[in-house]
Amino acid sequence: MRYFTAELWEQFNSENDKEREEASKKWDKNCEEYFSRLALNKNRFSKEVYDFFSSNTFHGFRVVSVTILNDYFGNLYPVNVEINLTNHREEWTIRYLNVNEIQLCYKSGESDVSKTRGFDEWGYDELLDVDDTKMSHEILFASGASLRIEFENQMISLEKK
């Protein structure tokens, strides 16, 4: 994560007023920079995907499943990923095709409570350009888990169920 980091999220939740105020200023600056960068990459998404992620968020949703699908052997980038999410009112699926990198960082917490939460709630995410042909979707969860999926331009879609 480049703009909405775990450290910034932690500062937002600090008990120190000054630290929270500084985090708020940094957040505002990072939001402006991130959404400017996203707009520069507008043509790398479908209109539906760009419109959604430029004005909405899955903040507070829970991951139901992350499915990694291996397509036909011999295809260029045969790995696809689906993430199913819910907030108990809405259900969504995000699909990534032509995936060429997946990074998942997850470790169950030590307490009995944290062991029951899994990824926990979707916190923040960023759609970033990797190079001229690839984008990444990086997601930070309340548990501290993170997921990064790198995919070819235009190869992300959304479906509301």
Side-chain angles (χ1 to χ4, degrees), residues 6 15 24 28 48-49 60 63 84 86 103 108 123 134 139 143 157:
E15 293 181 14
S24 181
D28 291 344
E48 174 189 54
V49 169
V63 171
N84 292 292
T86 186
Q103 296 175 359
S108 178
K134 290 186 247 0
I139 306 156
S143 65
S157 63

Side-chain angles (χ1 to χ4, degrees), residues 47-135:
K47 180 178 178 355
E48 174 189 54
V49 169
Y50 177 77
D51 287 350
F52 181 87
F53 282 108
S54 63
S55 59
N56 296 287
T57 180
F58 287 117
H59 184 82
F61 276 67
R62 291 193 178 266
V63 171
V64 175
S65 64
V66 176
T67 306
I68 301 171
L69 306 160
N70 196 47
D71 204 352
Y72 298 105
F73 179 76
N75 283 357
L76 189 60
Y77 301 121
V79 175
N80 302 315
V81 176
E82 290 184 359
I83 301 176
N84 292 292
L85 306 157
T86 186
N87 66 359
H88 303 293
R89 291 182 310 278
E90 298 177 3
E91 292 182 24
W92 288 82
T93 298
I94 308 172
R95 286 188 183 86
Y96 309 85
L97 305 177
N98 297 6
V99 171
N100 69 327
E101 186 174 328
I102 304 167
Q103 296 175 359
L104 173 62
C105 180
Y106 169 77
K107 182 179 176 186
S108 178
E110 296 298 318
S111 74
D112 286 344
V113 171
S114 64
K115 290 177 185 176
T116 67
R117 299 190 66 102
F119 287 108
D120 208 346
E121 293 181 350
W122 183 293
Y124 302 99
D125 62 296
E126 299 175 353
L127 286 160
L128 299 172
D129 50 302
V130 175
D131 61 28
D132 290 342
T133 63
K134 290 186 247 0
M135 297 295 294

Side-chain angles (χ1 to χ4, degrees), residues 134-145:
K134 290 186 247 0
M135 297 295 294
S136 70
H137 194 187
E138 300 183 34
I139 306 156
L140 179 62
F141 297 92
S143 65

